[in-house]
């Protein structure tokens, strides 16, 4: 478990741990945790229980949002002295709405080896079972706690074409879902993944209006942990990646000056949408140019 061959430095392992079901901890994660010199944990008591379950006894070092800058130095010193270190968070993959970014960044800046031990992650668990498009998604973390800022953030995302993924705490879930309905529209498809991998795992899926009503009526609706997933804006509704300009407007504008093929290529580069799709659309907008 050493870093770059011959460097003498240790490796920082970023170890994913279960988001509910303890059986989801991978055999490799267990063996890395058993093999390192020290484990940096977001909450040492919480991770201590997991280690006890695994029968692993290791020194634990608290590394959380409030001490990460100070603690990173200690971890780096241990790595440079040749010790392997594992970083874990309370649940799932460290750095995904969890501490660790400062440490990983600094370790990389010093040329130390950082190695992922992948595993559970609530957003991936939710997304892979939600039935929403997964070819492009935007993970936006937690929405702001204050109502105005939260609404402003949702308004910024209303024309985004990628599937949107958020984390939310149980005490704000009803409010957040109602705001998604109000800002994105009651017809926008919404999926909530609640208590994933746990006994009361539940998916709520449908239009934002229906999901909102269902959740309000469910006595357990605001209990447990949630991943919130929203279908991206339909293609003809928003400007997508082209900023404030609608794709059809952009195509029409360029078609006035350039041949269809060239226009499709340029708009594809600007928006990331498939060239062939844009070529067909451009032809539809300018049918007399079929041979360009
Ligand atoms: N690092 C974690 C990961 O890889 O998913 C996430 C940590 S973040 C502080 C905790 C949030 O993740 C919760 O508020 C909830 O939104 C989501 N989450 C964690 N476990 C979950 C579960 N079992 N079911 C649904 N959402 C979960």
């Amino acid at each position: 478990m050493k870093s770059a061959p011959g460097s003498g430095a240790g490796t920082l392992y970023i170890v994913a741990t279960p988001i509910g079901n303890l059986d989801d901890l991978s055999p490799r994660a267990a063996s890395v945790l058993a093999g390192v010199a020290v484990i940096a944990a977001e909450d040492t008591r919480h991770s201590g229980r997991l280690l006890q379950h695994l029968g692993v006894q290791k020194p634990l070092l608290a590394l959380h949002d409030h001490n990460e800058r100070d603690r990173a130095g200690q971890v780096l010193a241990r790595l440079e002295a040749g010790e392997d270190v594992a970083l874990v968070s309370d649940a799932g993959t460290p750095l995904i709405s969890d501490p660790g970014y400062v440490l990983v960044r600094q370790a990389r800046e010093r040329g130390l080896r950082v190695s992922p031990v992948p595993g559970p992650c609530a957003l991936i668990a939710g997304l892979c079972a939600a039935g929403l498009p997964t070819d492009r998604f935007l993970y936006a973390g937690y929405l702001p706690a204050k109502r105005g800022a939260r609404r402003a953030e949702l308004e910024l995302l209303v024309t985004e074409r990628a599937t949107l993924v958020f984390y939310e705490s149980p005490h704000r879930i009803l409010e957040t879902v109602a705001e998604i309905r109000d800002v994105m529209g009651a017809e926008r498809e919404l999926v909530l993944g609640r208590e994933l991998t746990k006994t009361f795992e539940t998916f709520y899926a449908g239009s934002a209006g229906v999901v909102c009503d269902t959740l309000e009526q469910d006595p357990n609706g605001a209990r447990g942990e949630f991943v919130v997933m929203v279908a991206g804006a339909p293609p003809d509704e928003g400007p997508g990646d082209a900023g404030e300009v609608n794709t059809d407007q952009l195509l029409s504008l360029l078609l006035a000056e350039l041949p269809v093929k060239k226009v499709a290529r340029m708009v594809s580069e600007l928006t990331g949408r498939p060239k062939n799709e844009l070529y067909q659309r451009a032809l539809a907008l300018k049918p007399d140019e079929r041979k360009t």
Side-chain angles (χ1 to χ4, degrees), residues 103-188:
L103 174 62
V104 170
R105 181 98 190 155
Q106 291 185 6
R108 288 221 161 267
E109 279 166 4
R110 292 186 189 206
L112 293 163
R113 185 170 169 232
V114 183
S115 181
V117 183
C121 179
L123 78 100
I124 300 297
L127 205 51
C128 71
L132 292 173
T134 53
D135 54 336
R136 255 213 273 188
F137 64 87
L138 193 158
Y139 170 59
Y142 288 92
L143 284 163
K146 291 204 171 128
R147 200 161 172 266
R150 195 164 62 216
R151 187 168 269 261
E153 177 99 12
L154 284 171
E155 274 162 4
L156 275 180
L157 291 169
V158 80
T159 55
E160 175 56 57
R161 294 235 175 83
T163 296
L164 302 169
V165 187
F166 306 97
Y167 282 165
E168 193 49 283
S169 65
H171 67 273
R172 257 201 304 271
I173 189 70
L174 288 169
E175 227 177 303
T176 292
V177 168
E179 249 157 45
I180 289 173
R181 176 200 58 200
D182 295 347
V183 175
M184 309 250 172
E187 294 311 313
R188 184 74 76 99

Side-chain angles (χ1 to χ4, degrees), residues 19 91-93 96-98 121-122 142 167-168 195-196 225-227:
I19 56 169
T93 303
I96 306 301
S97 294
D98 268 342
C121 179
Y142 288 92
Y167 282 165
E168 193 49 283
E195 293 287 88
L196 300 174
E225 301 194 272
F226 286 88
V227 180

